[in-house]
Amino acid sequence: MFGKYATLTDPVHNNTYEAISPLRPELSQLGRTILISGGTTGIGYGIARGFVRASAARVIITGRRPEVVSQAVEDLQKEANATKIDGYPCDISSNAAVEALWDKLKTDGIVVDVLVLNAVAFGPNKSLRNISTAATWEVYDANVRAQLQMSERFYKQGNKDSSETKYLVYVSSVAVHDFNIGNDYPTYALTKLSAQLGLQLIAQDSSPEELQIISFHPGSIFTENARSKGFAEDSVPWDHVDLPGHFAVWAASSEAQFLHGRFVWASWDVEKLQSGDVRRRIDEDPTYLKIGIHGL
Ligand SMILES: NC(=O)c1ccc[n+]([C@@H]2O[C@H](COP(=O)([O-])OP(=O)(O)OC[C@H]3O[C@@H](n4cnc5c(N)ncnc54)[C@H](OP(=O)(O)O)[C@@H]3O)[C@@H](O)[C@H]2O)c1
């Protein structure tokens, strides 16, 4: 199904493993507040659980359906020890709703340390030639405008302590580099790629000590969305949701700083990325694992 990039490292993973375990002291999120868009189900919920296991002080999840937000908060709170779980219904495709979310956080005196951009719109299942510009623009609104707006409000909120790093983790997709995948949803690839380039350009202007930005493909995870697209539990060899759930925690740590501004797969082994041939290429080539025109 995937090209040779799927096995960039040896080994690759389809579930969590020791180096990305949220229980590792080096990945501890103690004292931090985490905001996850679309954290109520699927991958976002798995990421929320990862940050709970990593002892975050507060995990805030958002989603459009208020009853799903409440249920997810209740479920997460049951497995949280000291972590406070909050839920805010918020449709990121509404500019006003995103403003209201961040205004409310500010009024409540909440400063976010880690932002995980996960919520997405899939757009119409038609070729781009058969989608109106207006319909394409609606997908841009959710997948690009909202992501940039969430990011801007995040890095402009100010720090609790100016020496602390802020972490922005973008749940991207294989669709940003393999246009044969997700071919049936062309506005998805178009807008995920645009948002990621936006974040790459912001990263170019930010030191990772101040604002660390990493994008990753989460793997193939059987979620509500996958089910709604007609997949079944046995359609493909799905990855476990703890893979992206725990990888996101690792991406919000100083160990991942060498990936600032780049894109990786959650399945790639982080120790193999940190050393050896891949690491050498990352250190030598500022364009490697980034969006751009190849062959120049
Ligand atoms: N699943 C995979 O195999 C796969 C593969 C590659 C990339 N991804 C990426 O992984 C991320 C999560 O995918 P998923 O499969 O977990 O999706 P999902 O099952 O559809 O879950 C999406 C989450 O986002 C929320 N959401 C959707 N639209 C929203 C909006 N406009 N405003 C606020 N919240 C919204 C949903 O709750 P409500 O419906 O209540 O709003 C839910 O909490 C996406 O960025 C996707 O591109 C997934």
Side-chain angles (χ1 to χ4, degrees), residues 98-121:
V98 172
E99 287 301 303
L101 168 69
W102 286 93
D103 289 348
K104 170 90 177 108
L105 294 174
K106 193 171 179 183
T107 307
D108 292 348
I110 296 172
V111 177
V112 177
D113 303 294
V114 179
L115 172 64
V116 181
L117 295 171
N118 169 74
V120 76

Side-chain angles (χ1 to χ4, degrees), residues 106-164:
K106 193 171 179 183
T107 307
D108 292 348
I110 296 172
V111 177
V112 177
D113 303 294
V114 179
L115 172 64
V116 181
L117 295 171
N118 169 74
V120 76
F122 283 86
N125 176 10
K126 287 181 190 170
S127 80
L128 201 53
R129 285 177 61 152
N130 293 319
I131 301 173
S132 69
T133 307
T136 300
W137 209 244
E138 268 180 39
V139 188
Y140 258 92
D141 219 9
N143 291 356
V144 185
R145 191 269 310 143
Q147 313 299 331
L148 295 178
Q149 187 185 4
M150 292 282 288
S151 304
E152 182 183 18
R153 290 296 306 252
F154 172 59
Y155 57 70
K156 288 192 175 164
Q157 14 153 40
N159 282 14
K160 281 183 264 188
D161 168 353
S162 59
S163 66
E164 280 174 6

Side-chain angles (χ1 to χ4, degrees), residues 37-45 47 62-69 88-94 117-122 142-143 147 170-175 188 192 216-229 238-239 241:
S37 69
T40 59
T41 66
I43 293 167
Y45 186 80
I47 292 174
T62 72
R64 289 166 301 182
R65 294 165 292 175
E67 70 287 2
V68 178
V69 174
Y88 292 82
C90 171
D91 181 347
I92 57 156
S93 64
S94 155
L117 295 171
N118 169 74
V120 76
F122 283 86
N143 291 356
Q147 313 299 331
Y170 177 56
V171 184
S172 183
S173 170
V174 56
Y188 174 74
K192 291 289 276 191
F216 75 97
H217 167 61
S220 303
I221 313 295
F222 188 56
T223 60
E224 262 185 25
N225 168 59
R227 196 188 293 273
S228 76
K229 301 283 176 295
W238 300 104
D239 299 312
V241 73

